[in-house]
Amino acid sequence: MSSRDDRAKEALRWIAPAGRSIDAVNAIVAAPLLERQRWSWRTWWIAFAVSLALTGAMAISIAWLLIEGIGIFGNNTTVVWGFPIANYVWWIGIGNAGTLISAMLLLLRQHWRASINRFAEAMTLFAAAIAGIFPILHLGRPLYFYWLAPYPNTMALWPQWRSALIWDFWAISSYILFSLLFWYIGLVPDLATLRDRAKGTMARTLFGIFALGWRGSARHWHTLHIYHMTMACLGVPLVVSLHSVVGLDFAASLMPGWAETIFPPYFVVGAMYSGFTMVIVLAAAVRWGLRMQALITIEHFEVMAKMLLAASTIMTLSYCTEWFTAWYGGEGAERRLVVYAFTGDYRVLYWLMLVFNCVIAQAFWFPAARRSIAAVVTIGILINVGMWLERMTIVLNTLSHGYAVSMWRTYAPTLWDFLLLFGSLGFFALLFLIFCRALPVVSMHETRRLLSAEAQP
Amino acid sequence: MSALLVAEFHEAGALTTAARAATSAGLPLADAFSPFPIEGMAELLGETSTRLRIWMFVGGIAVAALAYATEVWSAVYNYPIDSGGRPEHSWPAFLLFPFAVGIFGAALTGFIGLLVKCGLPRLHHPLFEINGFERVTQDRFMLALHAPPADADKRSAVDWLKQAGADNVWELEW
Amino acid sequence: MPQIFRPYADTVLRVALLAILVVPVAAIGAAYAVMWSPYVTGQNVVIEQPVPFSHQHHVGALGLDCRYCHTAVERSPVASVPPTHTCMTCHSQLYTNAQMLAPVRKSLASGIPIRWNRVHRLPDYVYFDHSVHIANGVGCTTCHGQIDDMPLTRQTAPLTMSWCLSCHRDPAPHLRPQSQIFSTTWRPPKDAEKAGRALMSAYHIDTTHLTDCTVCHR
Amino acid sequence: MTARPPIAPADAGRFDIDRRRALTLLAGGMALALSSCGPPREEIVPYVSMPEGMTPGLPLTFATAVAPFGYAQGVLATSHEGRPTRLDGNPRHPSSLGAIDIFAQAEIMSLYSPDRAQAVRHGDDIAAWSAFEGALQAQLEQEKLRRGAGLRIVTGRITSPTLIRQLQALADVFPAARWLRFEPIDDDAPRAGAVAAFGEPLVTLPHLDRAKVVLTLDADPLGPGPQQLRNAAAFAKVRQSRLTPDDFLRLYAVESMWRLTGANADERLALAPQLMRNVALRVAQALGASVDAGDLPDRARRFADAVAKDLAGNKGRAIVLAGDTQPPEVHALCHWINAQLAAPVDHLPPVDANDKSHAQSLQELADDLGAGRVETLIIIDSNPAYAAPGALKLRELIGKAPFSAHLGLTDNETAQRCQWRLPMSHALEAWSDLRAVDGTASIVQPLIRPLYDTRSAHHVIGLLHGDLGADPYALVRETWQARATGDFESQWRRWLHDGVIADSAAAPVTPPQPHLPNVAPAQGTPPLTLVLAPDPSLWDGRFADNAWLQECPRPLTHEVWGNSLKIAPQDAAIHGLRDGDVVKLAHDGVTVAAPVRVQDGQPAGVVAATLGLGRNAAGAIGNGVGFDVYPLRGPAAGWHIEGVTIEATDQRHAPPTTQHHFRLDAEDKDILRTLAIDDLPRGTASSQDRGESLPSLLPRQNEDGYQWAMVIDTSVCIGCNACIIACQSENNVSVVGPEEVEAGRIMHWLRVDTYFLHEKDEPPGFQPVPCMHCEHAPCEPVCPVAASVHDGEGLNAQVYNRCVGTRFCQSNCPYKVRRFNWFAYSHDQAYANLGADTVTAQYNPDVTVRGRGVMEKCTYCVQRISRARREAEKTDTPIPDGGVVTACQSACPTRAISFGDLNRKDSSVNALRHEPHHYAMLGHLGTRPRTTYLARLNNPNPAAQDDGA
């Protein structure tokens, strides 16, 4: 009896009093979708306009890229990879966190995931989709990207399966589709709720179609639960393998600074790191914008801050390992590369990266920092910048300063590099803003379940 | 042509107790409806099958095997090409593609299995006729019994449900 | 609560879900079919020419040797289309006023070449060499078909990469003795396989590197 | 029907249209027409009547000669269906010996250059030749009256016997006319020196291959010029590893700026040009002359004494060479020294018939123009308006001639100041004849009918004779008929076939013992001096419209599309200058803005610049590239300009470079290895150095059949860049233009890396780097579409039409030898006017022209391998050793590049791969390169070095 109360309390810890009833939860979550007149959407429209403009910029730069060719970017004969690859790794990293949260935390029975997993998964979906665009755009002949797939053709040719890019191509495709299913199946009961709450025929029809006729049958709940748990079990290895493969894009080479066994694991942690920071930023936005204070509480921010602290420490450790192996390995080029990273052409980026990724997160040792949303968000954004810088320096240092001394070159991005980067940010924001007004940003049925302490075994 | 007795409850607790009592009272349970999964209810309804997982496993393995077969056939038999002196059958490099698509294969099989097993999509369903059924996706709980054929038994069953705490009881033909 | 959907909605939605699975697969299949279609390969498409030259008449009926016109075929990568002069060696005597030969006479008089339309067209990154195929026992009709009964010349082979590969992987069934290279009547013998093997060794053909990219692409 | 034009996989459609227009220019050929829908239609356009000896689809080769500097360089020209596509060296020709320099190779680009003059122009209006002929005849009537007193003919260096004959014959018609000869890169000093020493202007031909010790005083025997190929070949003969240290040449160079000779020297001394006489004098002292040797800095004195000792100790095997930039008395002194040393040099009567010095000629022209004594000015293929010393003001004066005409390949600065601009036929378009430095004559035969309405010099001089129909062919035959003995026709055919006229070389003369000239030593330290030199890629500027040469990296600096003022670190420190700072370079009130490059090994107090840039009438390619130093030259067209001033400005602008880092650290030892000949271990290389003993998990590849490999001997690579241009012309490598190079993008498949290995001011090492064709190629497993794959003969192939452009291969290539088409460099995005149809006509039809977005790289000239293999299959005989010669290999004057089959035990590459100093670049990476190297051998003399230890 008492133990059940504890569990109930533990569950309720994640929900503010204002949201501690099934009706309240339904009302709070459905409000932005069904009772829009509740509050003014001016901020939303401003944000929408800005992200739409940025999306336009992205569209233009893509069009120009296809017309003029890959040469519009800052790459050169030696540094053949630049922004697009760094952007790709960064976005896919963000794209990892959603599934990590919903899958890993589900398996670990972390109650607090209930109120954030929905929009985290949406974030995953959008980020992964955007990430998928970059490798294609950075091709010399983007329109032939489908040659990476084994399709029947009159040339009797097949993909070259040993290439990490093939692994990538399939890992991402599988991951995006997987996340889509995982996300959608979690949405179905909520869509049914909205179908039944909605007044307008249009809304009821649309929600109705996507709810697939869900009627809360205990049999269905049972099957859904089994599927959900199994998907979680599959999702964790998939997400880990995905970013390991991204790490292999670099590690499966013989270039100094790339050919490192530590890359796959530390790319995964890095992904979680940047992903969580993005979740934090979005959580703050949703909490404030959609009045979700009752469901997304300080507690959530504190626990995620703790995770950042842990990740930051692991990242720092990884960097140290890199430097150590470079020194201990004794390969001249490797050592020279580390020195170059600290003192070479990109030293500013590198130092900034270290500060953002390793130093500032240490603030979370202090509860005050963890419990201040402003602090957590600010640090989160800085860390995300740091993670982008990390990917950038990984690409640039090795390529600029490899073995062939005569071909050492430095890289200078062009306007188009930046347009595409910020354009993609705008596109991401656009998708998320639309998501906020079309679908429930918090999983109602999971929160309800959390509320009904009795329902806990 | 059978009939259902659908009883509406306020509390998840009331629903479970009623369900338990009904089974002990020998009233055959048809189904239960709730805004969130209720632990134990599935067992009461005899929902213990785990075949879905087996399907997913089979589906995943099948897709992965197909993927690996494609790799080996294309790289070793159909058009072997010397790529940096690597072996034609570079199995370690060949593992990641099957792994990724295999997992997706499992997920897709599971999804299809889920729909089949639950008979979804089912946009039009007699239950939706019930006035107030929309509440089961929000905050109400409903229990469905197979209505006894004889009118007398039926009436007593309804009374029994009322006593068990049901606010309303509907009879549904289908 | 009233029903939102009519009963048939279920069917519609289920079909739609099925389509999501079926359509992509079907699309790929269709695309593959198109790639093999004459529209893309140009197979068996008769291309109009300034002069309706008939191989059927010249080769089939008159029995001219291929090399009478395609002089370079044994030495050069290209078979070479004959200069106007070659046509006129005969047509200065025969059909001297034939209307259909007017362009030929005009070309000779004006010194302006005849512009023929290419029938067998390979992509420009493919480097095909007639002479080496002839030297290794590949006959004309093997790729060009029964040229001797073509009133107007057409391409009989698909000329796709996989078509080329099919022979480069296993030339044996397509080989003939040197004496038969230019014959339009040659047919594979009963024991084509065995004969092919014999010719393979006679021509010192080693297939191990025949499918290297550099054999055709530079 | 002709060879299929190569087309890029990408945007084939757009290219097709180009091809059709391009080919209408050519006799016969296949064209492509875009049909509105479906795959593009192609046309076949056969000949009306087949030219004799031509087989459609097979290239023809003709022996002829080109004259980049006025002297003949024998070449073998390849022609596809009547369109010349490349030039190779002619082994029979003494100035080629089978090799070819960058200038001669680039002639093919000049032929198709869109900047060529294409029509006669009167002022700016297009006119007809008849109009010019009319005007000229009227003018000549006038001249006849005054016996040609107003007629001046200005030419460059003329070595064509026929043209000389025509010019000299003019004296009969116009006795008072003057023929003035002007080359900006003149040889006045050596001629005067020879006159001083021997009484006649003999030309000195050194025999480096018979030398053990050579000292150069600002001479550049290995640098660009008419003797480069000959000297380089001789140099290589005595720099072979098989030689004992006693026979291994030791080269000392004293230089006022970096020249190729100094870059290849064992001991180099940077010294102000004025002080070099003192070095010569010290040597003379050591040889018994009682002269005042003046004073020298310590380092220089130690160097001079060491050299003198070495020279004196090798009588009969020692040579001293003074540069064309040194004054006559120094040349005379060197002749005396050589005489004492019994140096292996030949003295030949000059081929260049005109005795008047270039400086005098120009002075006279300027005076006459100024005084209005010039009525009729005919300028043949010369550009005084641009290249004459600024002090002479010829730019302005030319306009003063009442009647002036210029015949040239382009409407250059001079043409634009003449009333008549006449388009000249290219050397590959017209008949002529030429002599090499040693007098060997060649018949120049055309390979193609003139692309435009152009005429040759013979024709125009003929017009002066009043002969409207002067036919170069007839004229040339006339010349040689007179000299033929026996059956002329058969000899003529033999000459055309060989590319040289048998025993037409001048016999060496034995000059009288030169007397010791009286040379006053230089005293004190000279003021800041500007040293001038021909540009290593553009010579005197006549090649400025040639995109290949503009983008050909200058040795040592790797500057392209521009030049810079080389300044010593000490001087840079004084003026607070760093690379790229623009300075005002002034002398006598003339100021030139020039970006500086701080160069180790540049003597303090001496700045150096190259001539030939900063042109403004060179066309779309050459205009406004670099800065022009001709205006600074005094009337004497001097090579050293004393007392220049430099003044820093706040502008910055450096010419783009293709190599940014030149220092090798300790960990780079297995990139470029060097070795003193004395330390060369005898025996054979360890398999370790072939990178083969490293353990590998990978299975052995199937290694039957041919297995191609290349070995490059870095000790004889003199950094002349001939291989780069050879590769470019053979493989249709695009020119990317200055903006792209600035952005760090290059296209040359083969680069010649330059590394400073010891002290920064000591001679560097050169290392040609093509694709390594690794057996365990890192680029291949990372390609997702198998566009980078291995073929059965060990080639690392790049299949352009399969490439999607991930560039993973280049990221993973430790040698960075892959090149990416960031834009459609050969198509609609070509630099300047390089997209013009005429340029596409130069392409080698056996090589695909790459489109946008695909990776490309060295293929070991796979098209040549394929041709050899197909021929071998047809004849059923294996490819012999040397049966495949790559383009780079064929052009190399020192034969530094060897190529062959590893499975032939007797192949040259097999032998070289077992040399003791053989190694694989970055072999420790386990890539097992098929391209491997021989360490760079040198032969230092410690006594000559800084510490003197």
Side-chain angles (χ1 to χ4, degrees), chain D residues 271 449 464 594 603 669:
Chain D
L271 194 67
R449 173 178 302 138
L464 296 180
K669 57 181 180 325

Side-chain angles (χ1 to χ4, degrees), chain B residues 81-88, chain D residues 698 701 776-777 780-781 789-790:
Chain B
I81 285 175
D82 177 354
S83 179
R86 306 300 192 270
E88 281 168 2
Chain D
L698 304 181
Q701 280 129 313
H776 296 166
E780 290 174 3
V789 296
H790 238 66

Side-chain angles (χ1 to χ4, degrees), chain C residues 55-56 59-60 66 141 144-151 153-154 184:
Chain C
H55 278 92
Q56 184 182 44
V59 181
C66 309
T141 55
H144 293 289
Q146 282 319 114
I147 197 78
D148 54 333
D149 43 20
M150 288 187 200
T153 315
R154 65 179 196 282
T184 54

Side-chain angles (χ1 to χ4, degrees), chain D residues 663-730:
Chain D
R663 301 281 304 138
L664 285 188
D665 306 337
E667 54 262 42
D668 302 316
K669 57 181 180 325
D670 59 357
I671 288 184
L672 176 53
R673 294 185 187 172
T674 50
L675 200 58
I677 182 73
D678 298 326
D679 310 341
L680 177 65
R682 302 292 156 176
T684 64
S686 71
S687 60
Q688 170 67 50
D689 287 343
R690 296 209 295 281
E692 286 164 14
S693 70
L694 295 175
S696 170
L697 293 170
L698 304 181
R700 225 52 214 130
Q701 280 129 313
N702 170 5
E703 288 186 349
D704 56 355
Y706 306 107
Q707 291 301 326
W708 304 109
M710 179 180 278
V711 180
I712 300 176
D713 184 351
T714 55
S715 25
V716 294
C717 174
I718 60 168
C720 69
N721 288 342
C723 47
I724 293 181
I725 302 296
C727 175
Q728 186 154 29
S729 68
E730 168 72 14

